[in-house]
Structure formats: structure tokens, C-alpha cells
Amino acid sequence: MSFGERVKSFGMTNMLIENDLDGIENRFDISLRENGEPTSTAKEIEETYFPQFEEALRKEADYMAKNYQLFYCLEKTIRNQISGMLEDTHGEKWWNDKVIPQHIVGEVKKRIQREREAGITPRSMEPLDYTNFGELGEIIKRNWSLFASVFSNVKAVEKVMFNLNTLRNPIAHCSMLAEDEKLRLEISLRDWFRLGE
């Protein structure tokens, strides 16, 4: 099984497991996964503060949660695929301006510095995690000789990445995703995995 196939399989398996766990937690009103905080605190927040939001807003959030989860898994899968292939080819120190476009390396340095200056916990130790979604597409194009072994066509990758980046904006910025756009997200997800066939 190729690296791309392994990443695809891992990503899809992870999404299915997450979906099953969500269903079990909702059905039995239990928490199987703690996100770094005690369940009692999460439950207190849910019972005390969540009801203070308008019901329509809570329904929107519930509707958008699955879209966020889907995009989160997809974006993390793409990042893992990029870093895995670049590391396999260039070694552990693959993050440099010979492999990554120089302007992206510079932007990432600025983003890391801003986080340090803000005194917040770093989001990651990996520079790739500081790139935006559009920059991921640029990295793939810059290294097309490598990614051509996984993806069928560079223009198709550009198109799918553009569609996904457009769909990412309402998800990342707490806007409702219209039914048509939800369908477009599902189709774009299929398109992404089809690129590796």
C-alpha cells in the first residue's frame, strides 16, 4: 500500500470512528473522550451557559459541527500527507526554502513569532501547521514532481484545493453553510480522495 493510500485509509477510518463515538456519546449522554478538561467542567458549561444562547443559534452550531469535523479531518490528512511525502524524500529537515516557497517560509516565521509574542501555547512544533490552506496547494505545486506519483493531475489538484479553500471560509469563520455548499463540500471531499486513484 502506498503512502497516499495509507493516509487516505487513516483519514477515512478516523472520520468513521469519530462519527461512531459521537453517536454513542449522544445516544447514552456520556463522554468517552475528554478534551483536556474534566467532564464535570464541560458538563457544567453545557448546562449553565449553553442554554443562554438562542435556540436557533444552538441549532446552527449543531448543524455546522459536522461540517467542521469533516473539514478538520480532511485538512489534517492533507497536512500529514504533505509532510510525510516531503520527509520521506528530503529527510527530517525538509522545511526549508528549497522545498517550500520562500514567501511561505517567511510568513510562517511571522506567524510563529506573533504567537510567541502573544504568550499563548504554540499550536504546534511543526511549521507546516502554521500554513494556511491555500499555501498547502502551493507547496504541492512547488513539489509536483514528487506529488505527481500520488495525484493524477496538477490542474485537478488546483481546482479541488480552490473549491475546498472557498468552502473552508464559512466553516472557519462561524457562518452557516448553505445546503448547496454542504453538498459541494461532500463532493469536494470525494474529489480530493479521487485525485489519488
Side-chain angles (χ1 to χ4, degrees):
M1 182 182 288
S2 72
F3 177 77
E5 290 170 331
R6 288 195 313 255
V7 169
K8 185 190 310 185
S9 176
F10 173 78
M12 292 305 292
T13 302
N14 186 46
M15 286 191 295
L16 292 171
I17 291 170
E18 286 287 326
N19 191 45
D20 289 345
L21 286 172
D22 288 341
I24 291 168
E25 287 177 333
N26 289 335
R27 183 174 173 199
F28 296 104
D29 193 28
I30 59 172
S31 178
L32 299 173
R33 301 162 288 178
E34 293 181 6
N35 296 323
E37 64 179 337
T39 305
S40 60
T41 303
K43 197 165 190 84
E44 177 186 344
I45 288 171
E46 187 172 326
E47 291 173 356
T48 304
Y49 300 106
F50 200 64
Q52 295 182 48
F53 295 116
E54 295 176 17
E55 183 179 357
L57 189 58
R58 294 193 311 261
K59 286 182 179 178
E60 281 182 18
D62 189 49
Y63 171 82
M64 288 302 294
K66 286 294 178 199
N67 298 311
Y68 175 81
Q69 289 173 339
L70 180 63
F71 207 95
Y72 180 93
C73 291
L74 176 62
E75 187 168 330
K76 295 291 274 187
T77 298
I78 293 170
R79 288 178 190 282
N80 289 339
Q81 189 168 16
I82 290 171
S83 64
M85 290 186 73
L86 291 176
E87 185 174 331
D88 287 350
T89 304
H90 300 286
E92 288 183 15
K93 298 193 184 280
W94 60 267
W95 182 267
N96 60 64
D97 60 10
K98 291 182 180 108
V99 176
I100 307 300
Q102 187 172 6
H103 71 279
I104 295 176
V105 171
E107 284 300 314
V108 165
K109 283 181 182 175
K110 290 179 194 173
R111 292 173 193 148
I112 292 171
Q113 185 61 32
R114 275 195 299 267
E115 279 194 8
R116 284 186 184 138
E117 291 170 355
I120 61 173
T121 304
R123 72 178 91 165
S124 174
M125 300 306 290
E126 300 299 324
L128 189 65
D129 290 336
Y130 287 86
T131 57
N132 63 42
F133 198 77
E135 290 167 342
L136 295 176
E138 289 184 57
I139 293 168
I140 291 172
K141 285 192 303 184
R142 169 77 174 264
N143 296 278
W144 184 249
S145 60
L146 170 63
F147 287 99
S149 66
V150 175
F151 301 121
S152 55
N153 182 287
V154 69
K155 292 287 185 196
V157 170
E158 287 176 338
K159 182 180 183 291
V160 172
M161 290 293 282
F162 176 81
N163 288 343
L164 288 168
N165 197 34
T166 302
L167 291 165
R168 182 185 193 277
N169 289 330
I171 296 168
H173 298 285
C174 300
S175 297
M176 281 294 289
L177 198 60
E179 277 298 322
D180 289 352
E181 300 310 310
K182 184 175 180 183
L183 178 59
R184 198 178 319 275
L185 173 60
E186 293 165 3
I187 291 170
S188 295
L189 174 72
R190 290 186 194 118
D191 288 344
W192 173 261
F193 285 111
R194 202 174 296 128
L195 287 170
E197 294 176 351

